[in-house]
């Protein structure tokens, strides 16, 4: 479900102090029935086990394959256009307590790089010639009394070209990518007992 930007900006996330030069592009919610306040690590583990980037639906994989092919042809994804070259990684802004919470590449074939991970929020980033993007995942008390997963996409487009690119891909995000993520991640929560090692259980 698409949410207003205030559903992200109104939360007391630590990401806000680090991203004043980014724009909130999208906010999306994912239903996790029966989830409690301590279940965010369980949800992340279930997503990695059953909802990894490599296990996306064929339409989503096709879209990303086209995108990577265009990027290779046009030089959008060259190392000099990415993190640490064209743009500074968000990790360079982190205080020490956040910097020590995530390290190394992400799992599941994701193109995103981990920035930090806490017990109620997680951040990953991606940069290329078009945009510097952050994917923020947060754990929020919903109106029905359960907790739910929320994803916010924060962006810093690379000039006019980057803004045109974000506008062009918006219909694909809303009509194909986000609905597919919703089905995949919500299914991962429902199937967590089957996906996770024995002893990994929701917390009250």
């Amino acid at each position: 479900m698409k949410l207003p930007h205030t559903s992200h900006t109104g939360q007391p996330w630590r990401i806000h102090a680090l991203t004043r030069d980014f724009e909130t592009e999208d906010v999306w919610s994912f239903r996790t029935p029966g989830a409690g306040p301590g279940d965010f690590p369980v949800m992340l583990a279930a997503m990695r086990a059953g909802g990894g980037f490599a296990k996306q639906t064929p339409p989503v994989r096709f879209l990303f394959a086209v995108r990577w092919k265009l990027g290779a042809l046009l030089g959008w994804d060259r190392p000099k256009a990415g993190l640490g070259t064209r743009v500074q990684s968000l990790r360079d802004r982190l205080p020490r307590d956040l910097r020590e919470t995530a390290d190394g590449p992400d799992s599941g074939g994701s193109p995103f790089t981990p920035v930090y991970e806490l017990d109620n929020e997680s951040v990953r980033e991606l940069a290329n010639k078009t945009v510097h993007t952050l994917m923020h995942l947060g754990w929020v008390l919903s109106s029905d009394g359960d907790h739910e997963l929320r994803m916010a996409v924060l962006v810093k487009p690379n000039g006019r070209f980057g803004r045109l690119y974000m506008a062009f891909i918006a219909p694909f995000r809303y009509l194909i990518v986000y609905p597919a993520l919703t089905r995949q991640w919500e299914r991962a929560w429902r199937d967590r007992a089957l996906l996770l090692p024995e002893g990994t259980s929701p917390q009250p």
Side-chain angles (χ1 to χ4, degrees):
M1 179 187 302
K2 190 176 187 296
L3 298 177
H5 291 180
T6 52
S7 62
H8 170 73
T9 58
Q11 294 290 332
W13 305 124
R14 294 192 64 178
I15 189 69
H16 299 320
L18 305 167
T19 55
R20 301 187 189 282
D21 52 340
F22 283 78
E23 305 168 11
T24 303
E25 181 74 10
D26 300 318
V27 184
W28 207 265
S29 69
F30 304 84
R31 294 166 294 182
T32 51
D39 283 336
F40 185 55
V42 177
M43 180 61 188
L44 293 183
M47 289 163 57
R48 290 166 182 144
F53 184 83
K55 298 179 181 180
Q56 285 293 340
T57 62
V60 174
R61 292 201 303 270
F62 173 76
L63 283 178
F64 277 96
V66 171
R67 166 59 185 83
W68 302 139
K69 184 65 174 179
L70 284 174
L73 290 173
L74 301 175
W76 292 350
D77 304 313
R78 292 174 181 169
K80 66 179 181 180
L83 297 172
T85 49
R86 187 183 72 80
V87 298
Q88 178 189 42
S89 170
L90 191 69
R91 284 185 59 84
D92 295 337
R93 306 182 186 186
L94 299 183
R96 180 174 298 178
D97 67 316
L98 292 183
R99 189 172 299 177
E100 296 172 351
T101 63
D103 193 18
D106 207 349
S107 59
S110 171
F112 284 82
T113 300
V115 178
Y116 70 82
E117 188 169 304
L118 301 174
D119 59 3
N120 66 344
E121 63 174 310
S122 173
V123 180
R124 286 159 175 75
E125 67 179 335
L126 172 69
N128 50 47
K129 193 173 182 179
T130 63
V131 68
H132 185 184
T133 302
L134 306 175
M135 181 177 68
H136 179 274
L137 300 176
W139 201 236
V140 179
L141 180 65
S142 63
S143 58
D144 61 8
D146 294 332
H147 278 66
E148 66 180 18
L149 181 71
R150 290 186 186 172
M151 177 184 71
V153 177
L154 311 178
V155 300
K156 190 192 299 184
N158 186 14
R160 185 170 180 268
F161 169 66
R163 294 186 182 280
L164 289 173
Y165 172 81
M166 291 302 298
F168 174 75
I169 67 171
F172 300 101
R173 294 199 312 272
Y174 297 141
L175 297 176
I176 300 176
V177 177
Y178 292 163
L181 278 181
T182 299
R183 292 189 295 271
Q184 187 181 45
W185 289 357
E186 290 183 354
R187 183 171 60 248
W189 171 256
R190 294 193 303 270
D191 296 344
R192 64 194 181 281
L194 301 174
L195 294 169
L196 301 179
E198 186 175 354
T200 304
S201 60
Q203 304 172 29

